[in-house]
Amino acid sequence: QVQLVESGGGLVQAGGSLRLTCAASGRTFSNYGMGWFRQAPGKEREFVANINWHGGITNYADSVKGRFTISRDYTKNMVWLQMNSLKPEDTAVYYCAAELRIQPGTTDGEYDHWGQGTQVTVSS
C-alpha cells in the first residue's frame, strides 16, 4: 500500500506563491503517475496537474498553465506542486494522488491512492 500526506497549504494574498509537498510512505511509487487535484467549496473535485513515472512528461489544467509546476523525486518518495501568481479562484483543498500507470490521466476515479488534502486560501 501507499500512503500520501500533503503539506504546505495556507493563506496567501493574490499574486503570491505556495509550495505544496506530498510525502509517500509504505512502499516506493516510482512506477506511479502522480497527480494533484483540488476541490473548492460547493464544487466537484477537479484535475490540476500530473506527472508521469519518470518525471519527464507533465500535464496541467488550462486554469493553472504557466503558473503551477509539478515535480517529483521518486528516490525520496516526494512530489511537489509549486504554485505562483495565485488567484482567489485557486482557493480549494488540494489533494495528492497516485495512479499505477506510467502516464497518469486527468480523472480522479482512475487514481489508486489519495492524500488527506491541504487547504489553500487566496485572498483578494
Side-chain angles (χ1 to χ4, degrees), residues 5-27:
V5 179
E6 303 96 333
S7 62
L11 175 64
V12 65
Q13 291 185 337
S17 298
L18 285 173
R19 181 182 172 94
L20 305 183
T21 297
C22 177
S25 62
R27 61 191 297 170

Side-chain angles (χ1 to χ4, degrees), residues 6-9 17-23 34-38 46-51 58-61 64-65 67-72 78-84 86 90 92-96 118 120:
E6 303 96 333
S7 62
S17 298
L18 285 173
R19 181 182 172 94
L20 305 183
T21 297
C22 177
M34 301 296 298
W36 286 95
F37 292 77
R38 67 187 183 186
E46 64 177 349
F47 168 77
V48 175
N50 65 23
I51 186 167
T58 58
N59 291 286
Y60 298 92
V64 306
K65 285 181 179 178
R67 300 188 297 120
F68 290 12
T69 302
I70 186 172
S71 59
R72 71 183 298 172
M78 301 282 286
V79 61
W80 300 271
L81 184 68
Q82 178 66 47
M83 305 185 295
N84 298 325
L86 284 163
D90 295 318
V93 177
Y94 283 71
Y95 297 90
C96 176
T118 185
V120 172

Side-chain angles (χ1 to χ4, degrees), residues 74-121:
Y74 62 79
T75 65
K76 298 180 175 65
N77 292 328
M78 301 282 286
V79 61
W80 300 271
L81 184 68
Q82 178 66 47
M83 305 185 295
N84 298 325
S85 301
L86 284 163
K87 305 175 181 179
E89 51 263 44
D90 295 318
T91 295
V93 177
Y94 283 71
Y95 297 90
C96 176
E99 181 180 358
L100 188 56
R101 181 180 177 182
I102 295 175
Q103 181 62 52
T106 60
T107 302
D108 57 1
E110 66 189 291
Y111 282 74
D112 302 293
H113 305 282
W114 291 84
Q116 82 291 340
T118 185
Q119 177 70 48
V120 172
T121 302

